[in-house]
Amino acid sequence: MSGQPVIPIDIVHLLPVLDAKLVELLKSLTPAEWEMPTVARLWNVKDVVAHLLDTNVRVISAGETFKDDPPPQINSYQDLVDFLNQLNADWVKAMRRVSPGLLITLHELTGPQYCRAYAALDPMGKARFAVSWAGEDESRNWMHIAREYTEKFLHQQQIRDAVNKPGLMTRELFYPFINTFMMALPYTYRDVKADDRTVVEITVTGDIGGTWCLTRKAGKWLLGKDAVPVPTAAVGIDPDTAWKLFSKSFRPEQVM
């Protein structure tokens, strides 16, 4: 429809798809698979499932009026990271006394509410939290939802990777995940100096991936998808490595 704003990454409709796949996956796990280690290092499958539940609970609770404990004073990005890491650790530790069956029931209860909460947002409205890893001091809801999508995709993929059950590595579900992470490249490269017109081409191989170009212009890095005939440098990454690398499940030295 003319006059409607274009949403750069419009994926709120995929949240229920991920949620349904998660519940289906959890119901298929054996007792041994719930205890399998994941690339999240300190967390096994059950811990990751508990963390995903925490995400649902936080989002649903944020839309209700109640008095939560105030956060500590946040003076830097590292302060924020430390605070969130502690919140995550506290929740996962508490959930270790909860059975897998009850975790599934709680996901079935909260997952649809979580999805409806984001579907109700104005995508162009101001987000409650900025997407700081993309260099934003203020974000639109569409970008915040895209970030949430990456979290939901990532943690479910960690589970699937641990128990060797495919399901998310499709064009429909993987491409929005990696496309969102590519949005952070200009900020990630912000301190990398290069001549103007320098072009770094990044390709995630296969039918489910794509190509992005990081171009230096007027002293800044800009992201685009228009291929150039001869890039200054070109990098190819397979999808399985890409999801682990961009989500910090892998470190760069692990894929060199």
Side-chain angles (χ1 to χ4, degrees):
M1 183 181 296
S2 62
Q4 294 294 322
V6 176
I7 303 171
I9 301 179
D10 187 7
I11 53 177
V12 70
H13 63 286
L14 291 178
L15 291 175
V17 177
L18 279 183
D19 190 60
K21 284 185 170 291
L22 175 65
V23 171
E24 180 184 28
L25 170 65
L26 299 185
K27 289 182 175 180
S28 75
L29 298 181
T30 66
E33 287 173 331
W34 280 90
E35 302 301 323
M36 293 287 289
T38 72
V39 292
R41 299 180 185 86
L42 299 178
W43 289 352
N44 63 17
V45 166
K46 184 169 178 284
D47 293 332
V48 175
V49 175
H51 175 64
L52 282 167
L53 177 63
D54 186 23
T55 301
N56 291 357
V57 170
R58 288 192 208 176
V59 170
I60 296 167
S61 297
E64 300 177 356
T65 303
F66 79 109
K67 190 174 183 180
D68 192 10
D69 291 336
Q73 185 172 346
I74 304 295
N75 297 315
S76 66
Y77 176 69
Q78 189 58 50
D79 286 348
L80 177 61
V81 170
D82 292 342
F83 170 63
L84 293 176
N85 284 342
Q86 189 60 55
L87 282 182
N88 292 337
D90 289 346
W91 176 276
V92 167
K93 182 178 180 180
M95 288 293 103
R96 285 176 181 157
R97 70 190 68 171
V98 176
S99 70
L102 182 53
L103 282 175
I104 293 173
T105 298
L106 292 172
H107 269 285
E108 290 181 304
L109 175 66
T110 61
Q113 294 181 63
Y114 167 95
C115 296
R116 288 194 297 270
Y118 280 126
L121 292 179
D122 172 8
M124 304 308 293
K126 180 181 175 180
R128 185 180 180 192
F129 301 107
V131 184
S132 53
W133 51 253
E136 297 186 349
D137 295 322
E138 179 178 299
S139 299
R140 300 297 100 189
N141 281 325
W142 66 262
M143 184 60 177
H144 174 60
I145 293 168
R147 168 179 55 189
E148 288 289 298
Y149 181 87
T150 66
E151 286 288 310
K152 287 287 189 174
F153 180 100
L154 162 65
H155 292 304
Q156 185 177 158
Q157 184 59 27
Q158 288 173 337
I159 298 169
R160 291 179 179 276
D161 179 69
V163 299
N164 195 30
K165 292 188 178 181
L168 299 189
M169 301 300 281
T170 65
R171 177 74 180 184
E172 177 191 25
L173 299 175
F174 173 78
Y175 183 82
F177 166 83
I178 200 66
N179 188 40
T180 299
F181 272 119
M182 291 294 179
M183 298 281 286
L185 284 179
Y187 180 68
T188 303
Y189 271 68
R190 65 193 182 279
D191 295 326
V192 177
K193 306 300 182 183
D195 296 334
D196 277 1
R197 292 184 290 181
T198 296
V199 179
V200 180
E201 181 183 88
I202 304 100
T203 298
V204 178
T205 58
D207 294 340
I208 68 175
T211 297
W212 295 260
C213 288
L214 197 59
T215 303
R216 188 74 169 179
K217 185 176 182 180
K220 295 182 179 180
W221 291 103
L222 303 175
L223 184 67
K225 297 181 182 178
D226 295 329
V228 297
V230 185
T232 310
V235 179
I237 313 173
D238 66 272
D240 187 65
T241 300
W243 79 259
K244 294 173 182 174
L245 181 62
F246 276 76
S247 63
K248 298 183 180 179
S249 300
F250 270 178
R251 298 298 178 186
E253 58 269 18
Q254 293 178 266
V255 295
M256 294 299 290

